[in-house]
Amino acid sequence: MSVLHDQVGFLPATKECLASVDFNWRSGAVVGTFKGKVTVDDILSFWDDLMRGGDLPAETKGVLLDFSNAKLSFKASAYLRIVDYFVENISFVRRFKIGVVANTPHNIVVLMLIARENYMYELRPFTTKRACLVWIKG
């Protein structure tokens, strides 16, 4: 089953994290919106679902992860699990621009660490969804 099976929908929720997925046709971005406390496992589950789906639109240019209403509920040092996951799945991950929207210092620091750790993938933090979508489209 694909995360985009119904084009818009909610992903399986954990106790404290609610995530939904949509596709922005104008920019060609899969948009994952997270709310509540988000763990590393929540993020990796999103990517697992995205890879398993296999039916992403041909127009897909990027992935936007919106944490503007969420708290990354893990220590900044846990970012290495995400980096390792991206490297292990680089043939899938490198196909997309990865834009991440965050607006708290902790979330921004974590995302900057992920972006700077490895240059095999293209990940960039943003403070607004609109700016992120323009970058993905560009």
Side-chain angles (χ1 to χ4, degrees), residues 15-67:
K15 284 184 180 179
E16 301 189 40
C17 174
L18 180 64
S20 63
V21 66
D22 192 2
F23 190 79
N24 183 290
W25 291 97
R26 176 175 267 171
S27 66
V30 173
V31 179
T33 304
F34 293 80
K35 294 182 180 184
K37 291 183 179 179
V38 179
T39 66
V40 171
D41 290 331
D42 293 325
I43 295 168
L44 299 183
S45 291
F46 172 85
W47 282 97
D48 282 343
D49 289 346
L50 200 62
M51 283 192 296
R52 263 196 308 262
D55 64 349
L56 293 176
E59 299 86 359
T60 305
K61 294 180 179 182
V63 176
L64 184 157
L65 301 174
D66 183 359
F67 297 115

Side-chain angles (χ1 to χ4, degrees), residues 3-135:
V3 299
L4 293 174
H5 177 69
D6 296 319
Q7 295 304 326
V8 178
F10 288 95
L11 300 173
T14 61
K15 284 184 180 179
E16 301 189 40
C17 174
L18 180 64
S20 63
V21 66
D22 192 2
F23 190 79
N24 183 290
W25 291 97
R26 176 175 267 171
S27 66
V30 173
V31 179
T33 304
F34 293 80
K35 294 182 180 184
K37 291 183 179 179
V38 179
T39 66
V40 171
D41 290 331
D42 293 325
I43 295 168
L44 299 183
S45 291
F46 172 85
W47 282 97
D48 282 343
D49 289 346
L50 200 62
M51 283 192 296
R52 263 196 308 262
D55 64 349
L56 293 176
E59 299 86 359
T60 305
K61 294 180 179 182
V63 176
L64 184 157
L65 301 174
D66 183 359
F67 297 115
S68 57
N69 291 311
K71 166 143 179 34
L72 297 179
S73 186
F74 52 89
K75 292 181 181 180
S77 60
Y79 80 94
L80 288 171
R81 282 189 57 207
I82 297 169
V83 171
D84 290 343
Y85 181 91
F86 282 175
V87 171
E88 289 170 16
N89 298 287
I90 198 64
S91 62
F92 181 81
V93 172
R94 87 163 101 215
R95 294 173 32 202
F96 310 107
K97 289 181 169 181
I98 305 166
V100 189
V101 179
N103 55 9
T104 66
H106 173 77
N107 289 3
I108 292 169
V109 166
V110 170
L111 300 171
M112 290 179 71
L113 289 169
I114 295 167
R116 303 242 185 257
E117 183 68 29
N118 194 307
Y119 294 101
M120 294 170 63
Y121 51 83
E122 189 173 8
L123 185 145
R124 190 167 165 195
F126 291 88
T127 55
T128 68
K129 193 172 175 178
R130 182 177 178 188
C132 185
L133 290 171
V134 168
W135 175 73

